[in-house]
């Protein structure tokens, strides 16, 4: 569980933050660049229609196999219909996140209030049927879009008492702007909320976002916790695009608004000069209106969306999956044609071979997962070695802070967790290129193994249809190539920033032990230098624990990513397995039309070539 360190962080010196934030901005710039390929989204609908016609033609020959192939196509289609851009609204509670979202949508969709209101992550997407989906413990409950539907989902009940609700809310809204932008808007719980689990929800979702809007209030302009949140949780998690919006400017005297906005903008530019700052309320009521400010925010959001890459990589991911699906369709059709000309003895041999193939496939997937797990453990070990190799530098920085702080107890309780978190964020940056390199290599290895063992064409032909992708896995000392990057991003359907952020972003733990706090109190009456010496010795142990906890988090996230990759590939092989199982029915391929099957194969090959050619652009 990620500790809510930012909520505890109250004590910091502004001059230190200014210089260090400036340094962090340089270190947090993206290191992995790749030429953005063409967006194939507009072609997908036509390709899916053609695939549906082919699946329907196969169903005419054999309904059982047709159903299998349609199921595989439906799985791919669901990914195609996901929004192409994810935008999170974040900030401490009572900053106006929900209010701004309602204004942008011109409807009262999410609840608003002075107290912490939203206790859940609320996703808003375009849909023809307007509804709320409440997901709790694997169950889905459908509700209407009414105010009463939120009553048990708020952070506080009617009496104002906290209530712990951990559900996901997905709202489908018939909204042209959402549909036009192909966007998913996420309203998050307040980052300053006392609930640690709610803060964790915000941290985790930021790993998966294309952009974030940070709301800050003019009545408490850009506090130290907000500065730390922007640095650690937004920039530190590799959110590619960020904007800051200032709310409640109408509560500030008109003569002071300009100076206040300049002050907030100056603080933010010290963290990163690339973050735009926009107010929800005009500086001068005579020159601007609230609608003008809202238009400026909408324009900036649309600009963020236009810069997004998720849609592009997802379109290429779906396109490649269609190629794989067509290959399965071709293989099934070829098997059906072959069976027409088999005599009884040959058909028996064919059925024996089908049984053997199924058994071999099951064993193969087990072995591939074991091999991939060994690779993951090796990668995690290498990242751990990178972190520990920089331990002395990290300790030196912390020891320096410890030696100069006038209040040891305050530093240990409040500043140290933040410092540990920040130092590990900096160290993790040194593993980014390495992380993407071995992910690219491992994905390539897995694809080649699947292609070799199952005799399929899962090798992703990104540049030209004739490209040879068979390589030996002896790449440890080489940098990740552009081709490997293309394959990796296409396979996962994401960008380098989101892949790296989801694995390396957000160290957990990093808190000094209670035992040390008691130990410190016990020696509180001793000389200050004696206390420093005792804590200096303990600091080494705390750093070791923090590195171990962070490494465990990385290991867990790597495991999840690798499992998702192999699950996707296994899903792509599901139709192949189903066809083999169906082949065990001796009369399966009776009364088939060879001419129709040949036509299915020919059309599939032509469509494959079209999609492959589009992927090469």
């Amino acid at each position: 569980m990620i500790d809510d360190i930012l909520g505890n962080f109250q004590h910091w010196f502004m001059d230190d933050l200014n210089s260090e934030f400036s340094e962090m901005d340089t270190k947090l710039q993206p290191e992995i660049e790749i030429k953005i390929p063409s967006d194939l989204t507009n072609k997908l609908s036509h390709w899916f229609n053609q695939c549906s016609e082919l699946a329907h033609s196969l169903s005419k020959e054999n309904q059982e196999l047709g159903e299998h192939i349609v199921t595989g196509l439906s799985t791919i289609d669901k990914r195609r219909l996901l929004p192409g851009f994810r935008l999170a609204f974040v900030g401490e509670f009572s900053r106006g996140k929900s209010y701004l979202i309602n204004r942008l949508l011109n409807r009262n969709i999410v609840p608003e209030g002075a107290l912490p209101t939203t206790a859940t992550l609320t996703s808003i997407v375009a849909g023809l049927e307007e509804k709320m989906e409440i997901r709790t413990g694997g169950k889905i409950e459908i509700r209407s879009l009414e105010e009463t539907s939120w009553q048990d989902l708020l952070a506080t009940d009617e009496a104002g008492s906290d209530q712990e609700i951990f559900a996901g809310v997905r709202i489908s809204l018939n909204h042209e702007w959402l549909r036009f932008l192909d966007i998913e808007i996420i309203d998050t719980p307040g980052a300053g909320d006392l609930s640690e689990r709610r803060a964790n929800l915000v941290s985790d979702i930021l790993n998966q976002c294309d952009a974030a809007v940070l709301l800050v209030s003019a009545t408490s302009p850009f506090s130290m916790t907000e500065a730390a949140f922007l640095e650690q949780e937004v920039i530190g998690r590799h959110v590619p695009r960020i904007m800051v919006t200032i709310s409640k400017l109408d509560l500030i005297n008109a003569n002071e608004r300009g100076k206040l906005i300049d002050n907030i903008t100056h603080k933010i530019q010290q963290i990163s000069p690339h973050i735009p700052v926009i107010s929800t309320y005009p500086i001068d009521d005579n020159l601007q209106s609230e609608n003008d400010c809202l238009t400026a925010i909408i324009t900036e959001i649309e600009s963020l969306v236009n810069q997004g890459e998720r849609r592009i990589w997802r379109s290429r991911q779906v396109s490649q999956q269609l190629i794989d699906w067509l290959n399965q369709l071709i293989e099934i059709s070829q098997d059906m044609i072959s069976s027409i000309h088999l005599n009884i003895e040959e058909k028996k041999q064919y059925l024996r071979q089908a049984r053997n193939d199924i058994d071999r496939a099951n064993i193969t997937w087990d072995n591939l997962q074991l091999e991939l797990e060994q690779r993951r453990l090796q990668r995690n070990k290498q990242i751990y070695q990178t972190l520990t190799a920089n331990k002395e530098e990290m300790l030196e920085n912390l020891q320096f802070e410890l030696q100069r702080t006038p209040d040891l107890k305050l530093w240990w309780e409040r500043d140290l967790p933040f410092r540990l978190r920040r130092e590990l964020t900096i160290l993790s940056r040194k593993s980014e290129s390495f992380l993407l390199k071995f992910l690219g290599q491992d994905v390539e290895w897995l694809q080649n193994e699947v292609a070799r063992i199952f005799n399929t064409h899962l090798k992703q032909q990104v540049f030209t249809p004739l490209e040879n992708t068979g390589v030996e896995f002896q790449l440890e000392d080489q940098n990740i190539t552009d081709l490997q990057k293309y394959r990796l991003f296409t396979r996962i359907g994401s960008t380098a920033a989101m892949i790296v952020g989801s694995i390396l972003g957000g160290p957990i733990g990093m808190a000094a032990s209670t035992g040390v706090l008691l130990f410190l109190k016990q020696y509180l009456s001793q000389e200050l230098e004696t206390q420093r010496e005792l804590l200096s010795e303990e600091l080494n142990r705390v750093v070791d624990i923090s590195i171990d906890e962070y490494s465990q988090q990385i290991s867990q996230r790597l495991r999840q990513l690798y499992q998702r990759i192999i699950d996707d590939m296994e899903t792509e092989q599901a139709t192949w397995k189903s066809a083999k199982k169906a082949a065990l029915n001796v009369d399966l391929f009776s009364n088939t039309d060879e001419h129709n099957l040949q036509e299915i194969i020919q059309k599939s090959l032509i469509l494959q070539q079209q999609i492959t050619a589009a992927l090469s652009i």
Side-chain angles (χ1 to χ4, degrees):
M1 187 67 68
I2 304 174
D3 290 329
D4 188 10
I5 297 169
L6 297 176
N8 295 328
F9 173 51
Q10 302 292 334
H11 178 70
W12 197 248
F13 298 100
M14 192 62 198
D15 56 339
D16 291 340
L17 274 177
N18 290 344
S19 61
E20 290 175 353
F21 281 161
S22 178
E23 175 189 356
M24 277 293 289
D25 182 49
T26 301
K27 293 184 178 182
L28 291 175
Q29 295 305 309
E31 296 179 3
I32 305 301
E33 297 181 359
I34 188 170
K35 183 180 179 181
I36 306 302
S38 58
D39 187 355
L40 304 180
T41 302
N42 293 334
K43 300 178 182 292
L44 291 179
S45 180
H46 176 63
W47 290 341
F48 266 91
N49 289 337
Q50 290 182 277
C51 288
S52 296
E53 292 177 4
L54 291 170
H56 180 69
S57 296
L58 183 67
S59 295
K60 290 180 180 179
E61 299 303 320
N62 185 279
Q63 185 176 357
E64 183 179 354
L65 284 179
E67 289 175 354
H68 290 310
I69 203 76
V70 167
T71 298
L73 185 63
S74 298
T75 300
I76 302 171
D77 197 26
K78 288 178 181 178
R79 182 164 287 167
R80 174 179 73 96
L81 298 176
L82 291 173
F85 194 89
R86 177 173 284 169
L87 174 66
F89 285 73
V90 296
E92 297 186 356
F93 68 82
S94 191
R95 292 299 189 266
K97 297 186 295 294
S98 300
Y99 174 71
L100 178 57
I101 290 173
N102 286 337
R103 286 186 65 200
L104 289 169
L105 299 175
N106 199 28
R107 290 180 59 179
N108 291 326
I109 300 299
V110 290
E112 305 170 19
L115 294 173
T117 51
T118 311
T120 63
L121 283 173
T122 303
S123 168
I124 306 173
V125 298
L128 296 178
E129 180 185 359
E130 297 202 341
K131 60 183 178 179
M132 287 176 62
E133 294 182 10
I134 318 301
R135 298 172 182 266
T136 309
K139 298 181 180 179
I140 300 179
E141 177 188 355
I142 306 297
R143 299 182 185 179
S144 59
L145 287 180
E146 299 177 358
E147 185 177 349
T148 55
S149 297
W150 289 96
Q151 198 60 51
D152 60 341
L153 299 172
L154 304 181
T156 54
D157 57 23
E158 293 181 351
S161 302
D162 289 344
Q163 55 182 7
E164 292 293 323
I165 303 297
F166 298 103
V169 178
R170 184 178 179 86
I171 296 176
S172 295
L173 203 62
N174 192 1
H175 199 284
E176 188 57 36
W177 187 60
L178 293 177
R179 189 174 293 108
F180 170 73
L181 290 183
D182 190 22
I183 191 175
E184 176 182 11
I185 288 178
I186 299 176
D187 186 19
T188 65
D193 194 335
L194 293 178
S195 169
E196 176 184 319
R197 289 186 65 186
R198 290 183 196 138
N200 296 344
L201 290 174
V202 177
S203 297
D204 286 341
I205 198 63
L206 283 171
N207 289 326
Q208 308 167 43
C209 287
D210 303 276
V213 177
L214 173 63
L215 272 290
V216 299
S217 173
T219 58
S220 53
F222 205 56
S223 66
M224 291 298 93
T225 54
E226 288 174 320
F229 181 82
L230 175 60
E231 178 198 21
Q232 295 286 339
E233 298 298 331
V234 184
I235 297 176
R237 287 182 181 274
H238 299 263
V239 177
R241 285 154 287 277
I242 306 165
M243 66 178 287
V244 172
T245 302
I246 303 173
S247 64
K248 303 185 180 182
L249 193 66
D250 54 316
L251 301 179
I252 303 299
N253 187 292
N255 296 329
E256 299 176 359
R257 292 173 188 169
K259 183 184 295 185
L260 184 142
I261 289 181
D262 289 343
N263 183 42
I264 293 176
T265 302
H266 175 69
K267 290 179 180 179
I268 291 170
Q269 286 180 342
Q270 288 179 317
I271 298 175
S272 173
H274 312 295
I275 299 176
V277 180
I278 304 177
S279 172
T280 62
Y281 195 83
I283 300 176
D284 190 330
D285 297 336
N286 297 322
L287 298 178
Q288 271 187 317
S289 67
E290 285 190 69
N291 285 336
D292 292 331
C293 295
L294 185 64
T295 299
I297 293 172
I298 291 174
T299 300
E300 185 62 35
I301 289 175
E302 292 176 351
S303 174
L304 296 177
V305 173
N306 291 334
Q307 299 170 42
E309 298 176 20
R310 179 195 296 265
R311 186 182 183 200
I312 294 173
W313 290 111
R314 180 174 286 162
S315 74
R316 302 181 78 81
Q317 179 188 40
V318 172
S319 299
Q320 183 59 53
Q321 289 173 337
L322 283 179
I323 291 176
D324 300 337
W325 180 88
L326 287 165
N327 193 73
Q328 301 291 351
L329 180 60
I330 292 168
E331 186 175 342
I332 290 172
S333 300
Q334 288 173 336
D335 282 349
M336 294 177 70
I337 292 173
S338 298
S339 71
I340 297 174
H341 306 287
L342 296 178
N343 58 38
I344 295 177
E345 190 59 36
E346 290 172 333
K347 179 162 281 192
K348 289 180 180 179
Q349 175 62 31
Y350 173 83
L351 295 177
R352 283 194 296 270
Q353 183 62 46
R355 292 189 183 95
N356 291 335
D357 288 345
I358 292 171
D359 292 340
R360 184 166 62 98
N362 293 331
I363 295 172
T364 295
W365 281 115
D366 290 340
N367 290 337
L368 287 177
Q369 291 191 70
L370 287 173
E371 172 65 18
L372 203 61
E373 176 65 8
Q374 291 301 314
R375 288 169 176 265
R376 182 194 65 80
L377 291 173
Q378 178 63 23
R379 306 316 190 184
N380 192 67
K381 179 180 178 181
Q382 290 167 306
I383 292 178
Y384 178 77
Q385 290 172 343
T386 300
L387 294 174
T388 54
N390 292 274
K391 174 187 170 184
E392 292 305 318
E393 178 184 351
M394 182 176 174
L395 263 176
E396 183 179 341
N397 293 335
L398 294 173
Q399 292 282 8
F400 177 76
E401 291 286 336
L402 177 63
Q403 293 305 317
R404 72 171 182 168
T405 183
D407 190 332
L408 290 176
K409 185 174 185 298
L410 189 63
W411 184 85
W412 190 272
E413 291 180 352
R414 295 183 178 178
D415 293 353
L416 176 59
F418 170 76
R419 299 297 293 177
L420 284 168
R421 187 183 182 95
R422 185 176 180 281
E423 290 293 330
L424 281 177
T425 299
I426 294 174
L427 291 183
S428 68
R429 297 290 300 189
K430 299 180 180 180
S431 299
E432 289 182 10
S433 297
F434 166 72
L435 173 65
L436 285 174
K437 181 183 77 170
F438 74 63
L439 281 175
Q441 292 169 355
D442 288 352
V443 165
E444 183 170 52
W445 165 81
L446 182 59
Q447 289 179 174
N448 288 336
E449 284 298 290
V450 170
R452 178 181 64 82
I453 295 170
F454 292 95
N455 193 29
T456 63
H457 302 286
L458 288 180
K459 299 185 290 290
Q460 300 189 18
Q461 301 167 354
V462 177
F463 295 115
T464 63
L466 300 177
E467 182 175 21
N468 178 17
T469 57
V471 296
E472 296 294 327
F473 189 78
Q474 300 291 335
L475 304 171
E476 293 297 337
D477 296 327
Q478 299 181 26
N479 292 324
I480 181 172
T481 65
D482 281 347
L483 179 56
Q484 288 171 323
K485 293 175 191 174
Y486 272 110
R487 287 174 179 159
L488 174 62
F489 300 166
T490 297
R491 168 56 58 184
I492 299 178
S494 190
T495 62
M498 277 183 277
I499 293 171
V500 169
S502 65
I503 296 173
L504 298 178
I508 61 173
M510 316 333 157
S513 69
T514 303
V516 175
L517 297 180
L518 295 174
F519 178 76
L520 180 61
K521 292 177 182 178
Q522 180 181 351
Y523 288 89
L524 202 58
S525 60
Q526 296 191 21
E527 294 292 333
L528 186 62
E529 290 308 311
T530 301
Q531 293 183 41
R532 290 188 200 276
E533 184 178 341
L534 292 169
L535 288 182
S536 181
E537 294 176 0
E538 183 63 21
L539 190 59
N540 186 76
R541 187 185 71 86
V542 171
V543 169
D544 284 338
I545 292 174
S546 298
I547 290 176
D548 287 343
E549 288 182 355
Y550 184 30
S551 297
Q552 290 172 15
Q553 172 186 275
I554 292 173
S555 179
Q556 177 63 25
R557 291 182 173 179
L558 272 176
R559 180 185 291 110
Q560 293 170 351
L561 179 63
Y562 275 43
Q563 188 60 51
R564 192 181 85 191
I565 292 171
I566 200 166
D567 285 347
D568 283 347
M569 285 191 169
E570 191 168 11
T571 298
E572 292 169 13
Q573 293 296 312
T575 303
W576 177 88
K577 291 182 182 179
S578 298
K580 292 297 182 182
K581 290 179 180 179
L584 298 179
N585 181 350
V586 177
D587 296 325
L588 177 65
F589 300 140
S590 300
N591 303 319
T592 54
D593 185 340
E594 182 174 355
H595 175 74
N596 185 42
L597 291 173
Q598 290 286 7
E599 189 173 345
I600 291 174
I601 293 172
Q602 185 63 26
K603 289 181 178 180
S604 297
L605 287 170
I606 293 173
L607 183 55
Q608 262 192 340
Q609 292 171 358
Q610 292 175 356
I611 299 175
T612 301
L615 277 172
S616 68
I617 300 175

